[in-house]
Amino acid sequence: MRRVAMAVALSGWAVAAHADAVGSLRQFVKDVQSGRAAFTQTVTSPDGKRVRKSQGALEFQRPNRFRFTYTTPTEQVIVGDGKQVWLYDVDLNQVTVRPMSDALGATPAAVLAGGALDKDFTLKNVTASSSGAASAAPMPQQATMSLEWVEALPRQKEGQFQSMRVGFRQGQLAALEILDGFGQRSRLDFTQFDTKVALPASRFQFVPPAGADVLKQP
């Protein structure tokens, strides 16, 4: 469920110029209720030698509804409908479904879904050099350095990831980086954010395609 954990993040709103990254993240969680964005995801192996890239689109509606559509290199759809999280692998024609409370918890996706930020995470501002972003990011270093970063450490140490870092550019959320429990680093870079879009309820409903194998996880 790595992509579910990624599933998180997102903005397009302006904040006061004096606000730091922690303040920007808190304002995002408080004020942004829905949105749509394109993203590029880069996953880097623990040794930094293997890199996988994918692209897709994101839609979200709080509370607890989101949709990630991966278009390249493989097609996958992840839908949170408020009660369950559905992952559909198009090539395998296979659907995995699990309760949203189990799939999210204190994960990056919980930030998108409207989770309890300060209850689940310890937050602090970090510099670009200490964020670790430059080593994992496909973007030029100048673009990475222009971001303000906040680090979110999960209070529950037995979770799926070690840390999350969220990058803002001029008060707008621009990147999300996750270090998982195996030392693998994943980064989402966002573009074309629209937080004034009206999203139909059908975007957050999922019906397994005919003939698809459906696997329910506890």
Side-chain angles (χ1 to χ4, degrees):
M1 301 295 289
R2 183 185 67 254
R3 285 182 169 174
V4 172
M6 287 303 304
V8 165
L10 328 81
S11 98
W13 81 105
V15 297
H18 65 273
D20 59 14
V22 169
S24 297
L25 178 58
R26 287 192 173 120
Q27 186 166 345
F28 162 68
V29 171
K30 177 178 179 290
D31 295 342
V32 177
Q33 298 302 310
S34 65
R36 173 188 291 157
F39 66 83
T40 298
Q41 179 174 325
T42 304
V43 179
T44 306
S45 62
D47 60 11
K49 296 180 179 180
R50 298 185 303 279
V51 176
R52 300 194 309 274
K53 294 184 179 181
S54 55
Q55 293 181 320
L58 161 73
E59 298 165 290
F60 67 97
Q61 176 75 57
R62 291 182 175 173
N64 299 332
R65 288 167 176 80
F66 56 86
R67 184 184 189 95
F68 281 80
T69 304
Y70 287 82
T71 55
T72 60
T74 59
E75 293 185 62
Q76 285 191 336
V77 179
I78 302 171
V79 177
D81 63 10
K83 296 182 179 179
Q84 300 181 109
V85 175
W86 305 78
L87 189 155
Y88 174 46
D89 189 306
V90 177
D91 290 342
L92 297 178
N93 198 26
Q94 184 179 86
V95 177
T96 303
V97 57
R98 63 191 304 185
M100 177 166 283
S101 58
D102 295 339
L104 297 184
T107 70
V111 176
L112 169 62
L117 187 64
D118 287 289
K119 177 183 177 182
D120 293 332
F121 302 97
T122 300
L123 306 176
K124 70 175 181 178
N125 293 304
V126 294
T127 63
S129 59
S130 65
S131 74
S135 63
M139 301 174 63
Q141 186 176 12
Q142 183 177 0
T144 295
M145 294 292 290
S146 69
L147 302 184
E148 294 182 326
W149 291 90
V150 54
E151 182 178 65
L153 299 177
R155 295 184 184 275
Q156 296 181 2
K157 302 304 181 182
E158 68 276 9
Q160 301 177 16
F161 73 106
Q162 298 181 42
S163 66
M164 172 178 66
R165 296 181 174 95
V166 188
F168 294 86
R169 180 180 291 109
Q170 296 180 345
Q172 294 186 355
L173 189 142
L176 175 70
E177 188 178 277
I178 298 167
L179 182 65
D180 69 19
F182 300 99
Q184 178 174 263
R185 194 178 300 273
S186 302
R187 173 162 167 165
L188 291 173
D189 290 288
F190 302 105
T191 60
Q192 303 173 16
F193 257 109
D194 184 358
T195 57
K196 300 183 183 300
V197 61
L199 299 171
S202 60
R203 296 300 295 164
F204 309 108
Q205 299 170 356
F206 185 84
V207 178
D213 293 328
V214 179
L215 307 176
K216 290 189 176 182
Q217 296 185 353

